[in-house]
Every structure is written in C-alpha cells, then in structure tokens.
Amino acid sequence: MASPADPGRPEAPEGKAKGEAGGEEASQEGDLRSVLVTSVLSLEQLDLDLFRGRHYWVPVTQRLFGGQIVGQALVAAAKAVSEDVQVHSLHCYFVRAGDPTVPVLYQVERTRTGKSFSVRSVKAIQHGKPILICQASFQQDQPSPVKHQFHMPDVPLPEELLTQEELIQKYLQDPNLLDRYRQGLNKMLAQEVPIEIKPVNPPDFFHRRPQEPKQLLWVRARGHIGECDMKLHCCVAAYISDYAFLGTALFPHQHHRVSFMVSLDHSMWFHAPFRADHWMLYECESPWAGGSRGLVHGRLWRRDGVLAASCAQEGVIRVKEQPSGSKL
C-alpha cells in the first residue's frame, strides 16, 4: 500500500489493475487526481497501526457515509500488510452511527500473518467507542485452473446513458413533480459526490410505482487514479459499493415512506484486477426483506465482462405506518 501521506502514490508495481480499455484511460489522463485518493481515503498516520481519517462528503441524513468508513478501514488494514499480497475479502459491522463533526480513528490489529493469507482487524473509533468493526483478509497470488464466473448482463454502454445529474435535471423539468421531490432532487444536485453514476434502469421513485428489487448502474470514481497498487483500487471500490446499494430493497415498496434506513453490515470479495476510475457495471438485487431489515447482493463487472468483485449488505429499514385506506 502507499505511504500514509499519499495513499494513491504506488510504492511497487505489484498488483496493477489491468484488462481495461486503453482509450478510456487516455481520456482521463488530463483530469485532476480523484478526490477519493487525495482526500477521502487519505489517512494520517498517528502511530504504528493507528490512523486518522477525515470526511469529505456527508449525506443529507447527516450521518457518516458507510462506504467512506469501510473504504478508510480497508486503507488502514492495507497499510499493515506487505506489498506482495492483495485484499481478497472484507467483512464489516456498523455498530454505532458516525459523527460527521469529528475525525475517525482507525486502530489496526495484525491478527495473523501466514504464508498465503493474512488477516487484519480494524476498529473505527469515535468518542472512545467503535463505530465499525472490520476484518480484512489478504492473499498472495495463487493461480489455479479451477475458475468460472457468471455472465455479465447485456446492457447499454455508459456512453449511451445519462448521468445521475442529467437524469435529475430531466426530472426537475416535469411540471407535475411534487414539491417535496423537487426539494429533494435539488439537494441531491447540490452535493459533491465523488462518484460518477449512470443508471441503466432508473427507479420510478417519483410516480411511486413498485418495481423489481433490482438495479443496474455504471459507476466509477471521479477524476484520475491510474495504475497503482491494486489495494488502492479495492479501497475505492469499497467506497463506491455502498452508494445507493441498500435502497435496492425499497423498489417493490414505493407506497411506503422510509423513516429510518441504515446499514448493519457490509461484505466484499475481490476476484480480478480492475480500475476503479474506469466504468464498471454495478448489478444490485435484493433477494429478501422482512423484520425491518433488507438484504442486498451486488456484483461489480469490468466493462470487458470480467467479474471484478461481489458485495452483500443487510440494513435496517423502517417505514411510517399508514392509516387504513390511505394513499400516498
């Protein structure tokens, strides 16, 4: 992993992301470095295995974005392993709400260092108490003839789709749009989210029509990251993976108004090298919801059809009770 001062600057050539279209890289070479590298995932080292992270983007809920905490925790874990291993999985529990007014401390425990696999445990701490507990596992490269994967969904290319901002502008032009939705959309436009998103099947939130609990999004980090230690791209993907993920479970339930929704846990498995600043297809689906909880699964596909990572998350979803016979 890169140095504490600059997590995006590669220290060694191992684990470079590959398998991407060269033209896209050329189109981003002139861009500013991604804020996900220069700010969001840049940790300050306070001591051996102790780091401090600050906040860049806070959602309208005024709670810390879970993807930021997961991504920063993985950065801290990656700084405590050798350069010749790559992250293959992480498992996190969100145990307390994050406070956006103070930094987060990341305390790393070197749980095990083996010949092939190494495990690092990370506590994200605020006000003296953990807000997230993360276990990250790293593996030395071990080729094997035993391999397979699902097929990537057949979808339009990102160049053929509108960005999330362009879709919001389109929604705002609807004269029949309710004021509460108009206010919410304007708030979304005002936020500086460090992710570019192009929905393949935009949800029909504003006409409250139930849909299948599935969504497809082209996603990538804003700005340029470049070829570097693959662990950094995994940290960025961890950040991206939490955006709009749990909301997939709400698609069939548009007649309900959500009063409270937070992540309980988040897991990822990394399968193949990728570039987090190149377009990847994020395939999300919710196989189950009940008991005030929702479960979502996700797959991150490189645009050449290679499955780069898989994700899973469960969260609390509470809705407002509606009077008998009432309609939203």
Side-chain angles (χ1 to χ4, degrees):
M1 197 61 184
S3 66
D6 183 1
R9 193 177 304 280
E11 293 182 348
E14 288 88 359
K16 287 184 179 180
K18 53 181 180 287
E20 299 287 345
E24 185 175 18
E25 179 176 355
S27 70
Q28 291 196 26
E29 286 292 346
D31 294 350
L32 295 175
R33 283 175 63 78
S34 171
V35 71
L36 284 169
V37 171
T38 60
S39 298
V40 181
L41 298 177
S42 180
L43 300 185
E44 176 188 0
Q45 184 161 8
L46 303 178
D47 202 342
L48 179 65
D49 297 340
L50 182 64
F51 306 90
R52 177 163 54 201
R54 302 187 182 275
H55 320 310
Y56 174 79
W57 172 68
V58 178
V60 293
T61 59
Q62 291 305 300
R63 292 172 175 266
L64 286 184
F65 175 48
Q68 174 190 292
I69 308 304
V70 173
Q72 289 183 345
L74 186 56
V75 170
K79 290 178 182 292
V81 296
S82 61
E83 296 173 358
D84 62 341
V85 297
Q86 296 299 329
V87 58
H88 77 85
S89 69
L90 63 87
H91 302 275
C92 301
Y93 280 97
F94 298 95
V95 294
R96 288 180 178 85
D99 181 352
T101 66
V102 298
V104 180
L105 294 179
Y106 294 92
Q107 187 176 55
V108 182
E109 177 186 328
R110 304 192 181 207
T111 307
R112 180 179 185 270
T113 301
K115 292 182 179 180
S116 300
F117 292 88
S118 297
V119 177
R120 298 294 181 261
S121 304
V122 183
K123 283 185 181 179
I125 301 169
Q126 283 186 323
H127 304 297
K129 296 179 180 179
I131 63 171
L132 173 134
I133 299 170
C134 174
Q135 298 274 344
S137 183
F138 300 80
Q139 180 188 16
Q140 288 190 341
D141 185 35
Q142 293 180 292
S144 170
V146 180
K147 53 185 177 182
H148 70 269
Q149 67 164 55
F150 285 174
H151 291 287
M152 176 179 171
D154 185 14
V155 299
L157 295 175
E159 292 78 12
E160 303 171 16
L161 299 169
L162 298 177
T163 66
Q164 182 167 268
E165 291 80 8
E166 290 168 337
L167 281 169
I168 290 175
Q169 293 286 6
K170 184 178 178 181
Y171 293 144
L172 289 171
Q173 293 173 10
D174 184 350
N176 299 317
L177 186 66
L178 295 178
D179 284 343
R180 68 172 182 270
Y181 297 143
R182 191 175 300 277
Q183 292 174 9
L185 289 172
N186 281 317
K187 286 182 180 178
M188 290 175 66
L189 275 181
Q191 297 182 87
E192 296 183 7
V193 182
I195 309 168
E196 289 187 82
I197 301 167
K198 291 192 174 186
V200 176
N201 56 336
D204 189 7
F205 283 128
F206 311 110
H207 294 93
R208 318 303 291 179
R209 296 191 185 109
Q211 296 177 240
E212 271 194 291
K214 297 181 180 181
Q215 66 172 329
L216 293 162
L217 310 163
W218 285 104
V219 296
R220 67 178 177 183
R222 291 190 187 275
H224 181 69
I225 298 175
E227 290 193 356
C228 58
D229 191 334
M230 186 61 214
K231 291 191 282 293
L232 177 61
H233 286 279
C234 291
C235 294
V236 173
Y239 181 100
I240 292 173
S241 69
D242 192 40
Y243 190 84
F245 194 25
L246 186 57
T248 311
L250 293 171
F251 282 13
H253 311 288
Q254 299 299 314
H255 56 290
H256 288 294
R257 291 187 185 175
V258 177
S259 61
F260 184 76
M261 185 169 70
V262 295
S263 303
L264 289 170
D265 56 19
H266 190 89
S267 296
M268 292 189 75
W269 297 264
F270 298 96
H271 312 308
F274 59 90
R275 282 276 297 271
D277 55 348
H278 285 179
W279 287 116
M280 292 188 292
L281 181 68
Y282 197 13
E283 179 186 11
C284 308
E285 59 184 2
S286 174
W288 175 88
S292 293
R293 305 191 317 277
L295 176 67
V296 286
H297 294 158
R299 301 184 187 97
L300 278 167
W301 299 89
R302 292 190 337 211
R303 64 184 295 162
D304 62 358
V306 171
L307 182 60
S310 300
C311 322
Q313 184 180 106
E314 191 175 50
V316 175
I317 301 176
R318 298 191 181 118
V319 298
K320 294 179 179 179
E321 295 292 334
Q322 299 301 318
S324 177
S326 68
K327 294 184 179 179
L328 292 178

